[in-house]
Structure formats: C-alpha cells, structure tokens
Amino acid sequence: MSKLAALPSVEKLAAALAPDVSLPRPLINLFVRREIDRYRQLLLADEEHSREEIEASTKKGLREFANSRLQPVINATGVLIHTNLGRSPLGPRAATALQQIATGYSNLEFDLPSGARGKRAGYLETALACLLETEAATAVNNCAAALVLTLRTLVEEGKNEVIVSRSELVEIGGGFRIPEILETSGAKLVEVGATNKTHLYDYEKAITPQTALILKVHRSNFYIDGFIGEPEIPEIAKLAHDNGLPLVEDLGSGAMMDTDKLAPIEHEPTPQECLKRGIDLVIFSGDKLLGGPQSGIIGGRSDMVAKIKKEPFFRAVRCDKLILTTLQESIDQYLETKADPTLSDVPVLTFLRTEVEALKTRAEKIITGLSSENAGISIVDTTARPGGGTMPRSEFPSVAIKIVPKNQSVPKLARQLRNGETAVVGYTTDDALLLDLRTIFPESDELVTEALSATLIN
Ligand SMILES: *Cc1c(COP(=O)(O)O)cnc(C)c1O
C-alpha cells in the first residue's frame, strides 16, 4: 500500500501540468484524476511506473485531450466534402449572417408586420421551393432525419410497405443503412429486383394494398457497373401514380448546379431534375454539394410537405436559428447567382472550379523560402475528389506540395503538422506527405507556410 501512497496526488500533478495546457481547471483535474486511478489499478496488478513516467504520459494525454477540442483545421487532403473535417465550409456571407443572428435577438417566430407570433422558417421554405422549382419545401437537422421523418409521415398502420430496389439498399455515412432507417421509421421494407438489375415489373409485382410508397435511393457513395439496368424515373413515377402511390427519392448530396460545368467530373443529378422527372418528394443534405450548413431538405408536393410538418416528430428534428440563418443565406445566394454560379461565394463550388495553374502558383509561393535541409520539397500533380459520399467516380486534376522527410518518418511528420499551432491535415504515401492545394483556402496559405517551416526546423 505504501507504493500507492507514492503516487502523485491529483492536486499536485494537476497544478504542475496546468501551465502547459489551456483547458478549464476542472477538466484538467478530472483528466488527471482518471490517469492516477488508472495507474493505481496498474499498481494493484503489479505493474509499476515511475513518477516521471506518470507525469510525462499524463502531460502527453492532457495535450492530446486539449487538441481534441473542436477547432479549425486546414484541409490539405484534396477531398472537398470531407466528412471527418466537417463536410462543407460556409462562405463569408453565411458566416456574417450567422454572427449577427447568433449574438442577438431575431424574428425567428415573430411576425414583424403584425407584432404577433410568426411562422418559423416561412421565408426559407418559400425560397427553397422557388429554388427547387416545386410546390413546397422544408428543412430539418440532417438528411437522415429528413428521411426518417418522411417515411414516418407517409406510412400508416396496415399501409406501411415501402418498395426499394435491391441495388439501392445502401449504407450511408456513420453506419446508417436504408433497411435500418426504414425499420426505425415504422416502415416495412419490400425489396425488389436483383443487385444489378431491377425491372419495372419487379416494382409492379410488389405493389399490394399495404404499399405506402416507392422509395428511390441515389447511389451517391458507390457505383455499380457491368450488366446493370433499372427503369427510368418517369416510368416508375407513372407506375406509382397509376396506383395512387407517392414516389420519394433520397438523393443524398443535392448538387444545385450542373457539376459537370464546374469541373471535369460527372453530372450529379439535381433535386430539380428529379422533381421534373416525376419524383413527388426529394430529400437531400444541406452540407454536401449544396455547400450550406448540416441540414436535411425535403421538397416537392405541397400536400405531402404540409403533412410532414404536422407530424409530431418534425418538432424533434427541426432546425435551430443558426442553421436556419446559414441555410437561408446559402439558398438566397443560389437564387441570386442562378444565371452565373461563378458569382457564388460557396467555398466547395469555388474549390471545384479553381484552375490548376492558380493552385500551382500558390504552391510555389508557399514553398519559397522553406529550408530543404530536413526534407525534399516539390510540387506535384495530384487528383482531388468531391468526397463526402458523393460522386465516387469523379476525380479531377489538382496540385500538391510533396514533402519527403530526411530524418524522420512520414507518419511522424504528418502527426506534427496535425498537432501544431494550426492543424494541417494532408495525406501520406509510402515516402511522402502531400498537401493538396485544392481544398486549402488561399487566405490560409501563409498559415501553411508557417506550419511547414515550424515543422521542418524541428
Ligand atoms: C449522405 C446521405 C444521406 C445522409 O445525409 P446526412 O445529412 O448525413 O444525414 C442520406 N442518403 C444519402 C443517399 C446520402 O448520400
């Protein structure tokens, strides 16, 4: 037991480590207490550690814990919509609006003309419907929630079957699978067709008096090729409508413009196209290719949108004022720049259409003046990707700074850059760390230079 007594006290150790980390003192105490407890357990199991070891490892753990706070990161991966790095960054216009609404009062549910209680998100819903060129629209917290909500609303006791093609039973990010979403929503999945081929008659045969709707799920994060086939949307829509059923599509990414016009990539179906082809309700994410805040947008037939808004679950997944503000700015901007998307300040769109030459010029500027004593530094051609579970087949040209460290390992160099003053996240190959310029904001170039010089000196 005397050995236990020799363990440093929580108070002393916390006090000693506090100057090294900028964390609230109660959190430092909590972290240190857990570490000491852990060492106590180890001691009881006859595993001894010196005081210095305990101090050093606690200090390291505490620094890592502090680094796990949500903080800005420079995305040098070349993946535009990086799920782990927060998907789509907002543009300056949305950020300004966010600042104003977040720090003051607003007319969130207040009608200024009458001075009476007002409709939440009324303006946004009209703007969304206008942009989608459809009857009505609304938004909730994310696309998965929008799908659950829609299904819950449209299925009922005795009429709860949802028909989905076997080629569309996808897993979306975070391990959420379409069959599980259906189950959560109280729907009964009716699979039709085969993995590679689904015919119109497969859908037709599956329709019963218990059918609630037909669901299409966009294969946004994978593709199938070879001996494949499926009916066109208008054919499925006609079948659904002839049987008095709605046709709903979970579109996922929700590109608002012709992606193939912005970059040498494939065409991602837009919600507008889906609705024109006969989809009754389309559902997509606000923070994938749309480039807005995390949200799930539902657009289409007004009777169905109205029903969705009356469903009690809507209240549980409704957006807060911060999301509503940034989404409102994003949608307004699309409406204003409809004729010329190059006027938009949505970062993912800007990144998509930046010329390779411009990236090269920036890369050259960043590496000018960097010492090559500790690393070989060069500029190389790379490929960037849309990411975020969108357009898995699309890659387009980009430029990266390639760093081959001379006296440390590539993973160590990468780790140092991730944990420096400004976190810079690149990607590694066997012998090099690559920092892709495509997803780095030009105004961050100087920070990248600083991070690199600090890392390469050490
Ligand atoms: C990404 C995606 C979702 C989930 O969107 P979240 O906004 O992450 O909830 C759902 N369906 C499809 C087809 C998707 O691509």
Side-chain angles (χ1 to χ4, degrees):
M1 279 303 140
S2 62
K3 276 186 186 161
L4 285 181
L7 279 170
S9 79
V10 172
E11 293 70 27
K12 275 213 179 120
L13 187 54
L17 299 181
D20 291 334
V21 268
S22 53
L23 279 182
R25 193 57 194 266
L27 266 184
I28 297 180
N29 290 349
L30 173 69
F31 187 90
V32 170
R33 192 174 319 120
R34 286 185 179 167
E35 279 297 284
I36 304 266
D37 279 348
R38 191 167 66 85
Y39 280 107
R40 184 173 294 125
Q41 295 307 321
L42 290 175
L43 250 186
L44 291 173
D46 273 337
E47 184 182 323
E48 274 192 57
H49 291 269
S50 72
R51 203 184 168 98
E52 291 71 33
E53 259 182 289
I54 294 174
E55 276 190 22
S57 94
T58 307
K59 189 165 163 176
K60 182 163 173 274
L62 203 48
R63 283 235 175 92
E64 287 174 0
F65 176 53
N67 247 350
S68 71
R69 289 186 87 235
L70 198 54
Q71 59 170 311
V73 160
I74 292 180
N75 175 7
T77 63
V79 180
L80 256 57
I81 304 162
H82 199 300
T83 307
N84 304 145
L85 302 183
R87 286 201 188 157
S88 293
L90 294 172
R93 181 170 156 169
T96 307
L98 177 63
Q99 153 85 13
Q100 284 170 346
I101 296 294
T103 54
Y105 296 102
S106 59
N107 60 341
L108 180 66
E109 285 183 10
F110 185 75
D111 182 52
L112 288 169
S114 66
R117 196 198 150 127
K119 211 173 130 221
R120 198 182 170 97
Y123 175 88
L124 171 68
E125 291 180 343
T126 306
L128 271 173
C130 176
L131 179 63
L132 298 178
E133 295 161 21
T134 189
E135 291 172 11
T138 191
V140 293
N141 279 334
N142 54 57
C143 184
L147 182 56
V148 172
L149 172 67
T150 301
L151 292 168
R152 275 179 76 103
T153 308
L154 299 179
V155 303
E156 55 191 82
E157 186 89 25
K159 205 168 163 59
N160 66 344
E161 292 181 359
V162 173
I163 305 175
V164 192
S165 160
R166 287 200 169 87
S167 65
E168 297 174 1
L169 295 175
V170 311
E171 174 169 319
I172 58 182
F176 222 22
R177 294 173 169 164
I178 291 294
E180 289 160 14
I181 290 183
L182 258 67
E183 203 182 312
T184 306
S185 318
K188 182 166 173 267
L189 170 65
V190 177
E191 303 175 19
V192 296
T195 305
N196 56 332
K197 277 214 178 206
T198 301
H199 300 273
L200 192 63
Y201 60 73
D202 292 320
Y203 283 104
E204 199 169 1
K205 274 194 309 198
I207 296 175
T208 71
Q210 283 76 47
T211 307
L213 62 108
I214 298 179
L215 178 68
K216 286 284 294 170
V217 183
H218 180 48
R219 284 187 287 269
S220 50
N221 57 5
F222 73 108
Y223 57 91
I224 57 174
D225 205 354
F227 186 59
I228 58 167
E230 60 190 9
E232 296 286 337
I233 299 262
E235 296 177 81
I236 309 174
K238 182 168 186 312
L239 175 71
H241 298 155
D242 285 349
N243 286 277
L245 299 172
L247 177 61
V248 176
E249 176 153 23
D250 173 15
L251 188 60
S253 101
M256 281 295 163
M257 64 288 134
D258 293 328
T259 45
D260 45 334
K261 289 201 184 125
L262 291 179
I265 51 177
E266 65 197 296
H267 178 79
E268 179 75 358
T270 66
Q272 291 90 330
E273 288 166 7
C274 296
L275 291 162
K276 286 211 173 70
R277 285 185 196 137
I279 298 284
D280 296 295
L281 268 190
V282 66
I283 299 167
F284 57 97
S285 284
D287 61 341
K288 288 186 184 168
L289 276 167
L290 190 143
Q294 176 182 306
S295 49
I297 297 163
I298 307 169
R301 262 171 52 186
S302 54
D303 59 330
M304 290 166 68
V305 173
K307 199 168 172 210
I308 285 170
K309 291 195 65 188
K310 283 206 200 87
E311 154 76 33
F313 188 64
F314 179 80
R315 176 65 180 76
V317 292
R318 73 174 186 187
C319 299
D320 78 332
K321 63 182 178 184
L322 307 183
I323 301 297
L324 292 175
T325 307
T326 44
L327 191 55
Q328 174 178 285
E329 288 308 314
S330 309
I331 300 307
D332 270 4
Q333 198 168 30
Y334 273 107
L335 288 168
E336 286 164 17
T337 58
K338 218 170 178 185
D340 182 7
T342 56
L343 297 175
S344 133
D345 78 350
V346 173
V348 286
L349 302 188
T350 310
F351 290 159
L352 252 182
R353 57 168 192 263
T354 310
E355 299 288 340
V356 166
E357 279 315 309
L359 299 178
K360 222 165 244 173
T361 309
R362 287 172 45 206
E364 274 156 13
K365 190 151 174 245
I366 290 175
I367 67 170
T368 311
L370 283 181
S371 153
S372 56
E373 195 180 320
N374 293 323
I377 304 171
S378 58
I379 296 171
V380 291
D381 292 328
T382 52
T383 47
R385 282 179 293 132
T390 66
M391 300 194 280
R393 247 179 304 199
S394 288
E395 287 189 338
F396 51 110
S398 192
V399 169
I401 297 170
K402 179 177 176 184
I403 305 150
V404 182
K406 288 181 184 161
N407 33 33
Q408 64 174 327
S409 71
V410 174
K412 179 140 184 262
L413 172 67
R415 188 164 59 236
Q416 267 187 309
L417 271 173
R418 286 197 307 270
N419 292 286
E421 189 92 24
T422 310
V424 181
V425 180
Y427 64 99
T428 59
T429 59
D430 281 349
D431 68 335
L433 169 70
L434 287 118
L435 302 181
D436 197 300
L437 268 287
R438 169 104 22 215
T439 45
I440 300 177
F441 285 84
E443 53 271 32
S444 303
D445 285 0
E446 231 162 277
L447 287 173
V448 175
T449 309
E450 280 166 27
L452 275 176
S453 26
T455 312
L456 293 178
I457 288 167
N458 291 325

